[in-house]
Amino acid sequence: MAIFKTVSAAGAMAFGSAVAAMADDGLSGFKNGALVFGKSDTISMSEETLTISRSQITADFHFVNTGKTAEKITVAFPLPDIDTAADDGLYIPVEDSDNFVGFTTEIDGKPVTNGLEQRAITPGGKDVTDLLKSLDIPLVRPYWTYIDLLQALPDPMLKKLADAGAIAGEPGDRTPQWVTKSKFYFEQIFEPGKPVHIVHRYKPSLDTSNMSFYSGDMAPSPEQTTTFCLSDKVKTAVAELEKTKSGEEYPYAQQFSLNYVLWTAKTWSGPIGHFHLIVDTEKPGIVATFCGDAKKTSPTRFEFEQDDFVPARDLDIVMFE
């Protein structure tokens, strides 16, 4: 049937895209989120166009209030939790801002200033947001940024942080310990019968590697095969791709994947009236796969459309260069 309804190796396809080159083993990504509505029985999504590329996600929504009275709804965009203690190369798209995905919103063509609710919680459950802000310590930054920052702090400040459980380790080897929970939000009034056009854009987080599932003697796990609808066709295409790298210092296909939260974000009334997915690969010649029935519409685009669409799973895409 439709994309996300079933997961089948036969549903995999090859298409073109790009992936950032990696000098090390890679970076891990997090789930790329979607808008979440305050629960409503009368506000329906008449249309959604979701465009995904390695550089930007654009979600374009049309909502309508089918009821008889106006509704004031809080619309939220939850960002993934960021564990500052995780020294695992977490990919943060915007490294110098608390808005670490560059999230923006437009309503009916006009930019909206989003509220940002952000709290820092220690492993013991203590809220250290105010303490960190009082010491001018940002809540979300790459791991290495905190290592440099903590080394520069005077001992009294380090003691405050250690006593609160916000840092751990011995002097000279302090590490951050809090998890930052974030969400953007805004309030919108939906008048009866009046369409509301909401567009949000942000930079996706990518799970990247300088080797593919198939490089060398490697093979994908059953879970990876199911998640991305990997097939023999994809394996063969990646092998052909790696032949073009023969003789290079690093003759493997580079790989990145991303997850888009689609199913769990459904908090509006009824199915999506018309759903349009665009996977824009940004350049041809790259092998990739995801589950579904999308069709190639240009050298760099694959598209899927369906009326009365009800997502049954999230969207997972993997690409090889």
Side-chain angles (χ1 to χ4, degrees):
M1 188 182 170
I3 195 168
F4 319 128
K5 281 295 185 183
T6 61
V7 180
S8 169
M13 63 201 73
F15 58 95
S17 187
V19 59
M22 297 304 303
D24 54 12
D25 289 342
L27 297 173
S28 60
F30 47 71
K31 286 180 178 291
N32 296 282
L35 288 182
V36 177
F37 265 53
K39 188 64 177 177
S40 172
D41 294 326
T42 60
I43 297 175
S44 63
M45 187 188 296
S46 59
E47 184 177 347
E48 176 183 1
T49 299
L50 175 62
T51 304
I52 295 178
S53 72
R54 69 180 179 93
S55 60
Q56 181 170 274
I57 292 176
T58 300
D60 187 315
F61 304 100
H62 292 264
F63 292 95
V64 63
N65 182 355
T66 60
K68 297 181 179 180
T69 60
E71 287 195 54
K72 187 175 183 180
I73 299 292
T74 298
V75 184
F77 180 81
L79 297 172
D81 289 353
I82 299 297
D83 185 354
T84 62
D87 184 17
D88 59 358
L90 182 66
Y91 181 92
I92 297 179
V94 182
E95 295 184 347
D96 59 352
S97 172
D98 289 339
N99 182 0
F100 53 90
V101 295
F103 178 74
T104 64
T105 299
E106 291 180 3
I107 299 179
D108 294 332
K110 297 179 181 179
V112 170
T113 300
N114 297 283
L116 174 59
E117 179 181 301
Q118 204 163 46
R119 310 303 297 177
I121 310 297
T122 69
K126 184 174 182 178
D127 189 325
V128 292
T129 306
D130 293 339
L131 173 60
L132 294 173
K133 289 183 176 180
S134 72
L135 300 177
D136 292 325
I137 298 175
L139 301 188
V140 177
R141 294 295 185 272
Y143 179 86
W144 55 265
T145 301
Y146 288 116
I147 301 304
D148 293 342
L149 189 154
L150 292 176
Q151 288 180 346
L153 289 181
D155 289 341
M157 289 186 180
L158 291 172
K159 186 177 187 307
K160 285 184 179 181
L161 292 168
D163 289 346
I167 62 173
E170 300 299 321
D173 189 27
R174 302 289 195 182
T175 58
Q177 296 295 303
W178 66 90
V179 172
T180 301
K181 299 178 177 292
S182 313
K183 70 176 177 181
F184 287 100
Y185 62 92
F186 59 90
E187 290 189 333
Q188 176 66 29
I189 296 176
F190 295 84
E191 300 288 349
K194 182 181 179 181
V196 177
H197 184 198
I198 298 175
V199 179
H200 71 253
R201 299 179 177 89
Y202 64 97
K203 298 179 182 297
S205 178
L206 309 174
D207 194 343
T208 68
S209 173
N210 60 4
M211 297 181 72
S212 79
F213 293 139
Y214 304 103
S215 296
D217 296 327
M218 297 194 300
S221 68
E223 180 182 3
Q224 290 165 337
T225 298
T226 299
T227 297
F228 299 109
C229 284
L230 299 173
S231 67
D232 289 341
K233 181 179 179 181
V234 175
K235 180 180 179 180
T236 300
V238 174
E240 290 298 317
L241 174 62
E242 292 195 337
K243 285 182 181 179
T244 67
K245 297 174 177 288
S246 179
E248 295 182 7
E249 182 179 358
Y250 206 78
Y252 301 115
Q254 296 169 338
Q255 172 181 304
F256 79 84
S257 60
L258 66 86
N259 168 279
Y260 182 83
V261 176
L262 188 67
W263 177 61
T264 54
K266 187 188 178 306
T267 50
W268 48 85
S269 174
I272 301 171
H274 182 77
F275 178 72
H276 184 189
L277 171 68
I278 301 169
V279 176
D280 187 343
T281 64
E282 299 184 322
K283 72 175 185 180
I286 311 305
V287 178
T289 178
F290 61 94
C291 298
D293 301 322
K295 296 180 180 179
K296 188 174 184 179
T297 58
S298 82
T300 62
R301 280 197 170 196
F302 282 76
E303 301 188 44
F304 166 84
E305 294 188 69
Q306 182 178 308
D307 292 333
D308 296 325
F309 178 70
V310 179
R313 57 165 288 174
D314 293 337
L315 174 62
D316 294 280
I317 303 170
V318 62
M319 304 181 184
F320 310 88
E321 181 177 45

